[in-house]
């Protein structure tokens, strides 16, 4: 996944540049297109692993580009729009988009969503399970288990706790600021930093009870980190 090729289709140069930098920082290869025609040309010749596709584009709009991509195959697509209208979102998803992001967005969230979509679309089952120490996180089954030899102990997590764990597991041993976790894992609400602390406290207690609490640690002056530090 780290070497996946991402096609960013965005006519606003500043937004395109920001997304390109964030994806490259996380180890992805990136190519860009500023209009729908160039996007389809890149898609046909270079076969990207995922497309981040703006809705409003010169020459061919995003929905037209998406329809053509779907005629060609099943390349994962994340639609990006300035319209927060639920009907517009529904239209995009019914047209075959794998996910949907509304401007203004945090680029960290876009990268996190891209990782999740790539995992879901992967045909290799081993790529769908994230492993941190004895912790196994299955985004498809929406399940987290602690593995100990032949035994597998499932964890009972809330939807938000699962989101946080899945997101952090995609970047093992990296320190996350609280605001970054809010943007990536709690985007639908007006969450505060102390809300993250509350979720983390409950998640740590559940991990402690399962014997893997040492995987989740606070980072003084920053936020939190998930990794196998043993």
């Amino acid at each position: 996944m780290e070497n996946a090729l991402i096609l960013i289709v965005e006519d606003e140069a500043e937004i395109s540049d920001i997304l390109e930098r964030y994806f490259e920082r996380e180890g992805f290869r990136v190519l860009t297109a500023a209009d729908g025609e160039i996007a389809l040309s890149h898609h046909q010749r270079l076969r990207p692993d995922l497309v981040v596709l703006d809705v409003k584009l010169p020459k061919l709009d995003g929905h037209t580009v998406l329809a053509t991509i779907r005629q060609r195959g099943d390349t994962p697509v994340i639609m990006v729009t300035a319209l927060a209208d639920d009907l517009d979102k529904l239209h995009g998803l019914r047209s075959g988009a794998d996910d949907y992001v509304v401007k203004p967005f945090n680029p960290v969230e876009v990268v996190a969503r891209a990782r999740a979509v790539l995992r879901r679309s992967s045909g290799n089952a081993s790529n769908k399970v994230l492993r941190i120490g004895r912790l196994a996180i299955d985004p498809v089954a929406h399940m987290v288990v602690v593995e100990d030899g032949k035994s597998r102990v499932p964890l009972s997590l809330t939807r938000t706790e699962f989101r946080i764990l899945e997101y952090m597991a995609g970047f093992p041993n990296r320190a996350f600021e609280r605001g970054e976790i809010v943007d990536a894992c709690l985007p639908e609400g007006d969450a505060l930093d102390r809300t993250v602390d509350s979720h983390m406290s409950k998640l740590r207690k559940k991990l402690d009870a399962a014997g893997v609490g040492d995987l989740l640690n606070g980072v003084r002056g920053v936020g939190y980190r998930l990794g196998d530090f043993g």
Side-chain angles (χ1 to χ4, degrees), residues 15-223:
I15 295 176
S16 180
D17 289 344
I18 290 173
L19 286 174
E20 182 176 8
R21 288 199 301 271
Y22 271 79
F23 273 105
E24 288 181 341
R25 187 181 72 179
E26 298 301 332
F28 293 98
R29 295 175 296 136
V30 178
L31 61 139
T32 63
D35 66 56
E37 288 185 355
I38 295 175
L40 289 177
S41 175
H42 283 347
H43 178 263
Q44 186 169 26
R45 291 187 302 105
L46 301 172
R47 299 187 180 278
D49 297 292
L50 180 141
V51 180
V52 178
L53 178 63
D54 192 25
V55 170
K56 291 190 174 181
L57 293 168
K59 298 185 180 180
L60 297 174
D61 67 24
H63 292 300
T64 302
V65 173
L66 175 61
T68 303
I69 289 175
R70 282 293 161 262
Q71 289 173 1
R72 294 175 177 175
D74 57 358
T75 305
V77 176
I78 297 177
M79 300 289 285
V80 179
T81 182
L83 303 174
D85 192 310
D86 286 341
L87 291 178
D88 190 57
K89 177 177 180 179
L90 184 62
H91 174 67
L93 293 175
R94 282 181 174 174
S95 299
D98 296 270
D99 203 350
Y100 211 92
V101 178
V102 177
K103 297 178 183 177
F105 53 75
N106 186 315
V108 173
E109 178 190 350
V110 179
V111 174
R113 288 181 179 231
R115 285 182 180 276
V117 170
L118 285 168
R119 284 196 298 269
R120 290 198 301 268
S121 64
S122 172
N124 186 340
S126 64
N127 289 337
K128 296 178 181 178
V129 177
L130 301 172
R131 299 183 185 278
I132 304 292
R134 294 192 291 120
L135 204 63
I137 304 165
D138 189 336
V140 176
H142 217 263
M143 178 181 295
V144 178
V145 299
V146 177
E147 300 177 333
D148 187 7
K150 294 183 179 180
S151 68
R152 290 168 54 86
V153 180
L155 294 183
S156 179
L157 303 179
T158 66
R159 181 180 179 185
T160 298
E161 289 166 354
F162 181 88
R163 274 186 191 173
I164 292 172
L165 204 58
E166 178 192 10
Y167 173 60
M168 295 181 70
F171 307 83
N173 299 317
R174 174 181 160 187
F176 294 86
E177 295 182 359
R178 291 172 177 82
E180 185 178 347
I181 295 172
V182 168
D183 290 333
C185 305
L186 295 88
E188 68 281 347
D190 297 321
L192 302 174
D193 287 356
R194 62 176 178 269
T195 306
V196 174
D197 290 336
S198 176
H199 286 301
M200 287 299 190
S201 176
K202 294 174 182 177
L203 182 56
R204 178 63 185 270
K205 288 179 180 177
K206 292 179 180 180
L207 294 175
D208 275 335
V212 290
D214 58 329
L215 293 178
L216 180 61
N217 290 274
V219 180
R220 186 183 298 274
V222 180

